[in-house]
Amino acid sequence: MRQLNRLNQFQRLWQPSAGEPQQITVAELAERCFCSERHVRTLLRQAQEAGWLSWQAQSGRGKRGTLTFHVTPDSLRNEMMEQALTRGLQHDALELAQLDAPELRALLHPFLGGQWQNDTPTLRIPYYRSLDPLHSGFLPGRAEQHLVGQVFSGLTRFDGDSREPAGDLAHHWEVSADGLRWHFYIRSTLHWHNGDKVETAQLRASLLELFALPALRRLFSSVLHVEVTHPQCLTFVLHQPDYWLAHRLASYCSRLAHPEQPLIGSGPFRLAVFDPDLVRLECHEQYHLSHPLLKAIEFWITPQLFEQDLGTSCRHPVQIAIGEPDELANLRLVSSSTSLGFCYLTLKQSGRLSKRQAQRLINIIHHTTLLHTLPLDENLITPAHELLPGWTIPDWPELKDVALPEALTLIYHLPVELHTMAEQLKQYLAKEGCALTVIFHDAKTWDGCSYFAQADLMMGDRLIGEAPGYTLEQWLRCDTLWPHLLSAPQFAHLQATLDAVQMQISEQARHSGLQSIFTHLMENAVLTPLFNYQYQISAPPGVNGIRLNTRGWFDFSQAWLPAPSA
């Protein structure tokens, strides 16, 4: 990049005297800048024209001229970044910010958070990693799940705190008396992000692509086919009733992209840039619902600002600092809550681990200080006492007379807080005469895991979406964990029970059915929650409309900035 090269050359000129005037020859300057004398004269002329320095040459070869500086490299870098952002060149701005963490924090501070850039309200969020590609279907990352909901629309959606689906691309839907035909009436004023009108046939094509994905095929297993029964109506024909269908279509995994352009959606924001160092969203001015209050959202991928040993941690998606992350205490805590999402332990009962032994293991976790003495940051996690509110963990009597197996194997995946949990559990069980072999599956989900056959215990985490009960139903249907955890007859019985629950017209009846399923799993020591996350969002003063959602993020459409003061 030309600007970065100019800055680097200026820094080479400035550094030996720390900005004090220099008596020096052109040859010495050329050697310092690794270029020819002719080129260094060009650099001096350009820098002088820009007002960065003054060069007063002396006639005669080898004569020393006077070099006087008018700016510092830091002030010049800031000026260049401001100019790049004014011209919409965010990549150039980020490239100019190639500094070590302390200097980078100071440099980025004026540019992060809420900014009016060219009379355009923009929110810039520093982020600790590059984002994975966005697409329909299941995504492992919380940030990606949230972004899918900002970029793409579904036939239905979850609106705010409501646990019931509302209209999105479809403004209304009707269900036949037998529950086998669902008519979704499509809005007539829909547009893709490229400006094209959304055709109902395109939505059908996108749905068929979605249903071809193995996990989504399991989720929508009751759907026989989808028909365009009117230019503004999609009809789902089912082979058995599924009164979760509107919920399934509202989930982030069911958002619809343009069938021929997978990065084009119809949500409140469009993807303007999606690169490893920068993600920029811009508002979709033809959006069919309430328009965003910000023009743009930018993720500045700056991992050097974050603790490198955290990896993929609860802390990263949970504590979002819209501003300078190293000074979280100086930012305004906008919103905080205990998530319904949880880390969990599952126990495979087999010849190595009986039901009674599994119950004792769960007692050890919940009735000792194990969860309360994890060496993790204060206020990061809260030990769980229930799966969901009202879905309490069973309370068994003391089982100290039950001897644990001599050896067990535990596998677990991210977040990295489970590293700590696994080591603590290993040490505790060793005192009980049980040698625990620990295997780490380096991923955010169980996909691709090859250790299930040898595992007795499994730890992972489960994000709870907008409709908690339905989210857990989706987990049982689609996660690759369950066929490996349960025997074939047990898994078949579970799926049949889920089918019976989904046929209940009453929402209350379906939730009661799900609670019974999970109560049975907990009472049989197949599943127990470990801890919940503490979500926090902090922002500088002046960034408004930020409220935590169930994924630990906030609705970008509701954030706003006051007009800049004169």
Side-chain angles (χ1 to χ4, degrees):
M1 173 191 156
R2 185 165 176 266
Q3 287 290 77
L4 182 60
N5 289 337
R6 294 181 70 192
L7 175 64
N8 289 337
Q9 292 289 48
F10 178 81
Q11 191 152 3
R12 291 187 184 104
L13 296 173
W14 182 90
Q15 195 166 16
S17 65
E20 293 298 318
Q22 300 176 18
Q23 301 294 318
I24 194 167
T25 67
V26 170
E28 290 170 336
L29 289 175
E31 183 179 358
R32 186 185 300 171
C33 293
F34 307 106
C35 63
S36 66
E37 293 184 20
R38 179 179 178 181
H39 185 63
V40 86
R41 287 191 177 93
T42 301
L43 289 177
L44 292 170
R45 175 176 53 80
Q46 291 175 343
Q48 185 159 285
E49 289 172 355
W52 303 346
L53 53 76
S54 297
W55 169 245
Q56 187 174 356
Q58 294 290 334
S59 59
R61 185 168 181 83
K63 295 288 187 178
R64 294 185 177 275
T66 303
L67 188 60
T68 307
F69 298 93
H70 306 312
V71 297
T72 66
D74 287 345
S75 65
L76 182 55
R77 190 186 299 264
N78 268 31
E79 178 187 334
M80 287 180 168
M81 285 186 68
E82 187 68 48
Q83 291 172 353
L85 292 171
T86 299
R87 300 200 305 270
L89 304 174
Q90 287 84 1
H91 281 295
D92 288 359
L94 281 169
E95 190 166 0
L96 283 162
Q98 292 180 353
L99 294 169
D100 293 334
E103 292 83 4
L104 183 60
R105 290 188 188 100
L107 176 67
L108 292 186
H109 183 73
F111 301 108
L112 294 175
Q115 302 286 334
W116 283 81
Q117 198 73 47
N118 294 340
D119 294 327
T120 297
T122 302
L123 188 61
R124 296 196 180 99
I125 302 171
Y127 205 59
Y128 72 100
R129 64 173 174 85
S130 295
L131 294 166
D132 295 329
L134 303 185
H135 55 75
S136 299
F138 290 109
L139 293 165
R142 290 178 174 89
E144 287 84 354
Q145 293 178 17
H146 175 67
L147 284 175
V148 161
Q150 303 294 305
V151 173
F152 303 100
S153 302
L155 291 184
T156 58
R157 67 192 177 103
F158 293 112
D159 190 7
D161 292 329
S162 174
R163 299 184 178 187
E164 295 297 309
D168 193 352
L169 295 172
H171 59 83
H172 185 69
W173 62 93
E174 294 176 347
V175 187
S176 63
D178 60 4
L180 296 179
R181 293 182 72 86
W182 291 60
H183 304 285
F184 290 86
Y185 299 101
I186 309 302
R187 298 177 192 270
S188 59
T189 56
L190 300 174
H191 290 83
W192 298 109
H193 290 156
N194 62 4
D196 292 349
K197 189 177 184 300
V198 174
E199 303 291 344
T200 304
Q202 291 176 316
L203 300 181
R204 177 182 180 272
S206 295
L207 283 164
L208 295 182
E209 289 184 10
L210 198 68
F211 297 165
L213 302 172
L216 274 294
R217 191 160 55 242
R218 293 193 294 273
L219 189 63
F220 290 94
S221 60
S222 298
V223 176
L224 274 176
H225 53 268
V226 182
E227 303 171 352
V228 178
T229 49
H230 180 274
Q232 301 302 136
C233 181
L234 273 176
T235 298
F236 286 67
V237 180
L238 280 57
H239 69 81
Q240 63 181 10
D242 181 3
Y243 288 98
W244 291 120
L245 183 60
H247 292 72
R248 302 194 197 286
L249 293 169
S251 175
Y252 85 88
C253 64
S254 302
R255 299 302 173 103
L256 300 177
H258 191 293
E260 297 173 358
Q261 302 178 65
L263 294 182
I264 297 293
S266 57
F269 289 90
R270 66 179 184 88
L271 278 176
V273 179
F274 197 91
D275 290 334
D277 60 346
L278 176 71
V279 173
R280 179 178 169 89
L281 310 181
E282 295 179 354
C283 71
H284 177 30
E285 296 184 357
Q286 293 176 293
Y287 183 51
H288 51 280
L289 298 175
S290 177
H291 282 206
L293 304 176
L294 290 173
K295 175 66 176 178
I297 306 283
E298 291 179 357
F299 284 69
W300 283 23
I301 313 302
T302 50
Q304 60 270 50
L305 290 181
F306 296 82
E307 294 180 52
Q308 296 302 304
D309 60 345
L310 283 180
T312 300
S313 163
C314 296
R315 208 168 323 177
H316 280 140
V318 171
Q319 295 183 336
I320 301 171
I322 307 166
E324 193 173 345
D326 194 51
E327 296 184 359
L328 190 63
N330 297 328
L331 299 175
R332 175 174 53 100
L333 180 62
V334 176
S335 189
S336 65
S337 67
T338 301
S339 78
L340 293 179
F342 50 83
C343 284
Y344 62 84
L345 174 72
T346 58
L347 306 94
K348 187 198 300 181
Q349 292 157 36
S350 63
R352 294 193 296 264
L353 184 68
S354 70
K355 177 179 175 180
R356 294 272 288 171
Q357 290 170 327
Q359 289 175 335
R360 182 165 180 222
L361 267 170
I362 291 174
N363 268 0
I364 287 173
I365 288 169
H366 291 293
H367 293 168
T368 67
T369 59
L370 183 62
L371 287 176
H372 297 271
T373 57
L374 293 177
L376 301 174
D377 283 359
E378 187 178 357
N379 299 324
L380 177 61
I381 63 172
T382 299
H385 303 290
E386 52 190 4
L387 195 71
L388 288 180
W391 298 20
T392 56
I393 298 170
D395 189 17
W396 297 299
E398 285 293 329
L399 297 168
K400 289 185 178 179
D401 59 324
V402 177
L404 293 176
E406 292 183 1
L408 290 171
T409 298
L410 165 71
I411 60 172
Y412 68 99
H413 64 64
L414 296 166
V416 297
E417 280 72 21
L418 291 180
H419 291 327
T420 306
M421 180 67 197
E423 287 305 314
Q424 292 279 89
L425 186 59
K426 180 178 180 178
Q427 293 173 22
Y428 197 100
L429 294 186
K431 297 175 184 177
E432 299 290 325
C434 176
L436 184 67
T437 299
V438 173
I439 301 173
F440 173 51
H441 173 57
D442 190 6
K444 299 174 187 175
T445 69
W446 293 115
D447 293 345
C449 182
S450 59
Y451 306 111
F452 283 121
Q454 62 200 88
D456 305 294
L457 313 174
M458 288 143 277
M459 288 196 306
D461 80 330
R462 175 49 36 188
L463 177 67
I464 297 297
E466 295 84 351
Y470 166 70
T471 301
L472 290 182
E473 196 270 358
Q474 183 173 279
W475 183 32
L476 293 179
R477 281 205 180 272
C478 300
D479 199 300
T480 55
L481 167 72
W482 299 102
H484 296 282
L485 176 64
L486 303 174
S487 67
Q490 287 174 328
F491 184 70
H493 177 73
L494 173 63
Q495 298 304 308
T497 307
L498 292 174
D499 287 346
V501 169
Q502 77 177 30
M503 295 182 193
Q504 300 294 318
I505 297 177
S506 163
E507 179 93 5
Q508 183 177 355
R510 294 200 302 278
H511 279 281
S512 295
L514 280 177
Q515 183 173 356
S516 296
I517 291 172
F518 278 97
T519 297
H520 177 78
L521 290 171
M522 289 192 291
E523 286 179 345
N524 282 277
V526 175
L527 165 71
T528 192
L530 299 173
F531 49 78
N532 302 93
Y533 314 123
Q534 293 295 311
Y535 286 155
Q536 293 182 0
I537 293 182
S538 298
V543 180
N544 301 292
I546 291 177
R547 187 165 58 91
L548 272 168
N549 63 19
T550 54
R551 298 184 192 282
W553 282 86
F554 60 97
D555 186 349
F556 291 165
S557 298
Q558 300 302 312
W560 62 278
L561 304 176
S565 56

